[in-house]
Amino acid sequence: MQNNQKKLAVIFGNPVAQSKSPEMQMQFGKNVDIELNYLKVLTTLPQFETSLREWIGKGIVGANITVPFKEVVMPYCDRLTIEAEEAKAVNTIRIEKDGSITGHNSDGIGLLRDITEIKGIDITGKRILVLGAGGAVRGILGPLLSHKPASLIITNRTFSKAKMLAGEFSHLGEIKAVERDDLMGSFDLIINGTSASLQNEFPPLPAGVISSHTIGYDLVYGDQPTIFMEYLLSEGGRAAYDGLGMLIEQGVYAFEFWFGKRPSIEGVLEIFGRASYAPFYDQ
Ligand code: ATR
């Protein structure tokens, strides 16, 4: 394939109509002079493999994979990156020259790039609290630990799930599960990985967990600050961010994974109706 030929990529999802990945990825393409056509593919669980093979046949360089196919795609991958293995989910695939499929997960890397490079928050040697123990949290623990925080505490409504995750990742660094009511001392960074925000619900944290140096980060994003962000600021936290930066940076990383070039994010915020990149919601 010639370099100047138009490239093709897709996102598989259900639903997928709401996805802004096509506009975002095509903007990345413009930013590095790669002509990219990126389409949404709505498929179903029984049809997924057929659809995947069909698009590989059409010459896609790769694809993003979203709900509900992030686990479903794994058996079709010929190899998985360490990030995909740790996350037990694939959100990006790359079709290699020989037609084989490499499965990757850029969510955790995207989060860490947003926190450390875009927001400029240094987490090495810091105290981090992660709320939740579902799929979203599983994907971020490895990348978080690779930045060597002083401690990473994980808590969850169903405590056994937090304990299990802490055990699974303990070989990578200082990680411990603590019951919500037993949390002690203040944290430098609190990441909300629960879906409680989506239900507009946020159970309070014990006194002292949030202090004037605490930064909050919600993995979800929307037009308004989430209930977690509002809670963190109302309790005297320093700043609160939503997950738009993570979404954009995981996209940047996926693009880089396909094309070997890191695009600038110029013109991407506008796609999401945001005026400035960071901080989104700062005191
Ligand atoms: P995702 O893929 O988004 O991580 P998930 O795997 O269903 O979704 O995980 C959702 C997480 O949000 C879980 O940690 C869940 O807690 P439980 O393990 O106890 O179910 C958490 N969660 C959802 N609603 C919540 C609520 N109202 N309060 C606290 N935690 C909540």
Side-chain angles (χ1 to χ4, degrees):
M1 201 181 268
Q2 283 171 3
N3 266 348
N4 58 2
Q5 198 172 330
K6 193 160 184 165
K7 310 288 188 194
L8 180 64
V10 293
I11 178 165
F12 293 100
N14 193 342
V16 76
Q18 78 294 346
S19 173
K20 294 239 171 35
S21 286
E23 288 142 283
M24 178 168 78
Q25 291 293 343
M26 289 194 277
Q27 181 66 40
F28 292 153
K30 275 188 202 147
N31 294 352
V32 288
D33 267 340
I34 289 176
E35 234 193 302
L36 174 65
N37 191 19
Y38 185 112
L39 305 169
K40 295 175 193 176
V41 177
L42 176 70
T43 184
T44 59
L45 289 169
Q47 278 301 310
F48 179 75
E49 186 185 2
T50 311
S51 187
L52 175 66
R53 304 281 175 219
E54 182 189 324
W55 284 96
I56 291 174
K58 288 180 184 169
I60 53 169
V61 289
N64 286 122
I65 314 288
T66 188
V67 178
F69 305 117
K70 287 185 178 192
E71 287 100 32
V72 176
V73 68
M74 294 179 82
Y76 307 120
C77 294
D78 297 286
R79 67 198 68 75
L80 296 173
T81 63
I82 183 88
E83 289 82 6
E85 262 172 25
E86 278 174 12
K88 291 206 167 101
V90 160
N91 77 341
T92 307
I93 57 169
R94 181 173 65 201
I95 313 307
E96 309 295 348
K97 284 203 176 69
D98 63 1
S100 65
I101 304 173
T102 303
H104 192 15
N105 193 306
S106 63
D107 282 336
I109 300 168
L111 172 71
L112 268 298
R113 273 192 179 179
D114 187 47
I115 290 177
T116 62
E117 295 179 31
I118 307 291
K119 267 90 186 182
I121 302 164
D122 182 15
I123 60 165
T124 305
K126 301 290 171 63
R127 289 193 84 213
I128 302 178
L129 172 63
V130 173
L131 310 172
V137 165
R138 170 181 282 284
I140 65 171
L141 295 179
L144 275 172
L145 287 168
S146 74
H147 283 255
K148 307 231 171 311
S151 67
L152 179 55
I153 305 290
I154 170 169
T155 192
N156 191 44
R157 180 175 61 183
T158 312
F159 186 60
S160 57
K161 279 161 69 181
K163 256 184 117 164
M164 203 186 70
L165 272 187
E168 209 179 303
F169 284 84
S170 62
H171 66 289
L172 296 177
E174 279 302 316
I175 179 167
K176 211 165 76 180
V178 175
E179 292 267 20
R180 197 171 177 114
D181 290 345
D182 298 335
L183 291 169
M184 294 226 295
S186 69
F187 289 84
D188 300 293
L189 175 66
I190 303 179
I191 297 173
N192 182 30
T194 72
S195 39
S197 279
L198 299 174
Q199 302 149 22
N200 220 20
E201 202 179 291
F202 188 80
L205 290 162
V209 165
I210 296 169
S211 77
S212 58
H213 61 87
T214 307
I215 291 173
Y217 195 110
D218 205 321
L219 297 187
V220 300
Y221 78 94
D223 295 339
Q224 301 297 321
T226 67
I227 187 164
F228 161 73
M229 294 161 72
E230 277 170 352
Y231 175 79
L232 188 119
L233 292 170
S234 72
E235 291 291 307
R238 179 145 75 93
Y241 299 97
D242 72 1
L244 178 61
M246 173 182 180
L247 178 84
I248 294 175
E249 289 305 312
Q250 67 76 31
V252 168
Y253 193 82
F255 186 96
E256 214 178 319
F257 184 60
W258 296 326
F259 299 110
K261 277 189 185 177
R262 183 171 179 171
S264 83
I265 56 163
E266 203 188 319
V268 171
L269 272 181
E270 289 81 343
I271 294 168
F272 295 93
R274 289 273 170 93
S276 75
Y277 197 62
F280 168 63
Y281 198 65
D282 208 346
Q283 281 190 322

